[in-house]
Amino acid sequence: MNFFEATVRVLSHKGHGVVDHPDGRMFFAKGVWVGETARFRLTGTEKNYDVISVLEIISPSPHRVSAPCAHHGSKKCGGCPWMFISYEEQVQAKEKRIDFLLSKNNIPVEKRFSLIASDKNLGYRNRAQFKTDGVSIGFVTEGTNDLYAIEDCLVLNPQMREHLKVLRSHLPRADWSSTGTHPWNYIEMDDHQAVSDIQLNRRRPFRQGNSEQNIKMKMWIEEVLKDAPKEHPVIEAFCGSGNLTEAISNIGFTNILAAEVRGVAIDELRSKKMPGVQIMEIDMNIKGVWQQLSRRQPQAKILLVDPPREGLEMRAGLFNSLKQLEKVLYISCEPNTWARDVKDFQANGWKVESLTPIDLFPHTPHIELMSVLKLR
Ligand SMILES: C[S@@+](CC[C@H](N)C(=O)[O-])C[C@H]1O[C@@H](n2cnc3c(N)ncnc32)[C@H](O)[C@@H]1O
């Protein structure tokens, strides 16, 4: 049956509507919300999975709103998949996902705080990666290799929107047309740059994408570490260019080992010359990494980790090497890998003392978790 009607029973972790085909198969649909009934059509296969698209919404969610951006929608820029739902409801959906994750993985949390919503749900983004073929500039439509041209992007902050406007005014530009494997080049830019410094196909150091929420992340670190003795040795892994290191250093810790892989962030980190901070260039995924960190910081009592989506891929050796650890601050941009890693901590005698989710990216299903782990 290529056409069918179904009600979205839940949202998947990627934020898609989960629906059941009458023959029992389960599908993930974009652009629908939980509780909505819609007519769907099987449209093809992607990576060996059958794919459906929405033909008609039969009973719309009361939380639907008209998306403020002209580029929102199926086969368009794809960047804000939840923009058709009110921000309040998006926040509720994120809360539900966290509760589900905790119960599914059997992770008790002593203090579960509410998600810190973003004060701005438009005009918040301080960085972006655009694609250009020298004729237009935009994003690649999800599931394709096609450049979708944009005129503006409402989630960018005012300075980034201005940068985009200037870049668009340079088009067409023959030197931006593609010569490589893709039909486009990429432009990474952030609001720390002058528009004259923006370069083609040049990676920028990682930055938390929402400056206002980043301030709250730093305040959270200051709060959870305020009573810890400032002479306690600290290890911060995946420290990037030292964004969170600044928070630890600012509250007076005098012995911080900040670890980051070789790359664009580490030069910026070195240039900051933060008091009390030693820098270690290391790949956190190699075997023996925790032994190497403990040799440099043998009495570490506090560990802060803020890994990429893959989480702590190398956990072997952590608990044997850092025997003096009393507190772990685990910040995560991927709840599934956070849960996997926390279960390992639980198996080694640790518990989640507190969990504070924070929303960095309104209109997307993305969730950032800030957690404190303690020895039981
Ligand atoms: C989520 S970012 C956090 C950065 C920093 N805490 C901040 O707030 O800007 C993750 C960082 O881990 C670094 N990273 C990625 N893979 C790594 C690896 N295998 N070893 C060490 N660092 C890595 C990235 O370069 C990036 O700077």
Side-chain angles (χ1 to χ4, degrees):
M1 207 193 309
N2 283 345
F3 296 87
F4 66 102
E5 195 178 301
T7 299
V8 179
R9 56 179 163 86
V10 71
L11 296 176
S12 73
H13 72 277
K14 289 189 174 160
H16 301 147
V18 178
V19 290
D20 298 311
H21 190 278
D23 70 10
R25 281 179 297 163
M26 188 174 82
F27 286 97
F28 300 100
K30 297 171 193 164
V32 283
W33 201 247
V34 67
E36 290 190 324
T37 303
R39 265 170 54 74
F40 299 96
R41 181 163 72 97
L42 269 96
T43 41
T45 49
E46 252 174 47
K47 296 180 189 150
N48 290 336
Y49 287 98
D50 288 333
V51 180
I52 56 171
S53 60
V54 181
L55 284 177
E56 181 197 358
I57 307 281
I58 297 167
S59 62
S61 164
H63 305 291
R64 271 194 180 256
V65 293
S66 131
C69 177
H71 302 307
H72 169 79
S74 136
K75 308 241 163 46
K76 294 190 176 177
C77 111
C80 294
W82 280 8
M83 205 180 234
F84 67 98
I85 290 293
S86 75
Y87 184 55
E88 294 70 26
E89 174 67 3
Q90 294 176 28
V91 167
Q92 288 313 310
K94 292 185 186 195
E95 292 280 30
K96 281 184 194 148
R97 178 170 167 222
I98 298 158
D99 289 339
F100 175 73
L101 181 91
L102 296 175
S103 75
K104 182 176 146 212
N105 290 287
N106 195 16
I107 300 177
V109 172
E110 274 182 14
K111 285 176 263 173
R112 152 80 157 94
F113 293 98
S114 305
L115 179 131
I116 304 174
S118 181
D119 293 334
K120 293 180 186 155
N121 62 67
L122 295 176
Y124 64 80
R125 252 198 108 107
N126 58 24
R127 65 173 164 87
Q129 190 191 82
F130 297 103
K131 305 288 191 297
T132 181
D133 55 6
V135 178
S136 51
I137 188 164
F139 296 105
V140 170
T141 307
E142 199 188 352
T144 74
N145 220 359
D146 304 335
L147 173 63
Y148 175 83
I150 57 164
E151 276 148 33
D152 195 0
C153 175
L154 302 185
V155 291
L156 296 182
N157 69 22
Q159 194 181 337
M160 288 286 290
R161 281 176 81 184
E162 195 50 42
H163 279 5
L164 176 61
K165 209 157 137 191
V166 176
L167 293 182
R168 288 188 72 245
S169 73
H170 293 160
L171 294 170
R173 267 186 80 147
D175 58 332
W176 283 5
S177 63
S178 167
T179 50
T181 47
H182 294 299
W184 30 258
N185 290 299
Y186 72 83
I187 296 177
E188 272 191 14
M189 65 180 195
D190 63 52
D191 65 3
H192 280 172
Q193 288 172 288
V195 76
S196 53
D197 293 336
I198 291 168
Q199 288 174 310
L200 213 57
N201 301 327
R202 184 68 59 91
R203 297 306 301 262
R204 298 281 300 157
F206 174 86
R207 270 185 75 193
Q208 305 290 355
N210 181 327
S211 301
E212 281 86 359
Q213 295 299 79
N214 184 49
I215 293 172
K216 295 180 196 164
M217 288 173 76
K218 289 177 150 185
M219 284 165 61
W220 175 84
I221 290 186
E222 291 176 12
E223 175 62 28
V224 297
L225 291 181
K226 71 175 189 301
D227 295 330
K230 300 303 172 281
E231 65 284 0
H232 269 11
V234 180
I235 295 177
E236 184 197 356
F238 306 95
C239 69
S241 51
N243 170 49
L244 305 177
T245 326
E246 277 166 358
I248 318 172
S249 171
N250 281 346
I251 51 174
F253 282 91
T254 51
N255 183 2
I256 306 163
L257 177 67
E260 166 69 24
V261 74
R262 176 189 299 257
V264 277
I266 204 139
D267 296 334
E268 198 175 316
L269 173 68
R270 288 205 171 100
S271 72
K272 288 184 179 164
K273 297 192 176 16
M274 283 180 269
V277 179
Q278 321 160 49
I279 294 165
M280 186 169 177
E281 191 176 290
I282 190 163
D283 181 343
M284 289 299 301
N285 292 341
I286 57 164
K287 224 170 141 193
V289 65
W290 297 107
Q291 288 85 339
Q292 287 197 47
L293 288 168
S294 83
R295 274 199 287 278
R296 283 283 295 269
Q297 189 68 301
Q299 304 299 323
K301 290 215 177 338
I302 298 168
L303 171 67
L304 165 61
V305 290
D306 181 12
R309 273 197 294 265
E310 294 75 19
L312 298 180
E313 291 189 278
M314 178 52 69
R315 297 183 298 288
L318 195 168
F319 303 102
N320 289 336
S321 309
L322 302 177
K323 291 214 167 93
Q324 311 293 323
L325 270 191
E326 289 176 2
K327 203 178 254 236
V328 174
L329 274 55
Y330 188 156
I331 298 183
S332 163
C333 56
E334 174 44 71
N336 286 337
T337 54
W338 175 86
R340 176 201 68 197
D341 298 346
V342 164
K343 278 159 73 177
D344 227 11
F345 273 89
Q346 287 178 328
N348 283 280
W350 291 72
K351 65 177 177 184
V352 183
E353 185 183 50
S354 74
L355 177 63
T356 311
I358 180 164
D359 191 16
L360 299 188
F361 298 110
H363 307 305
T364 77
H366 181 276
I367 303 172
E368 195 85 11
L369 297 177
M370 304 189 288
S371 59
V372 180
L373 314 183
K374 259 185 95 172
L375 268 175
R376 268 200 299 269

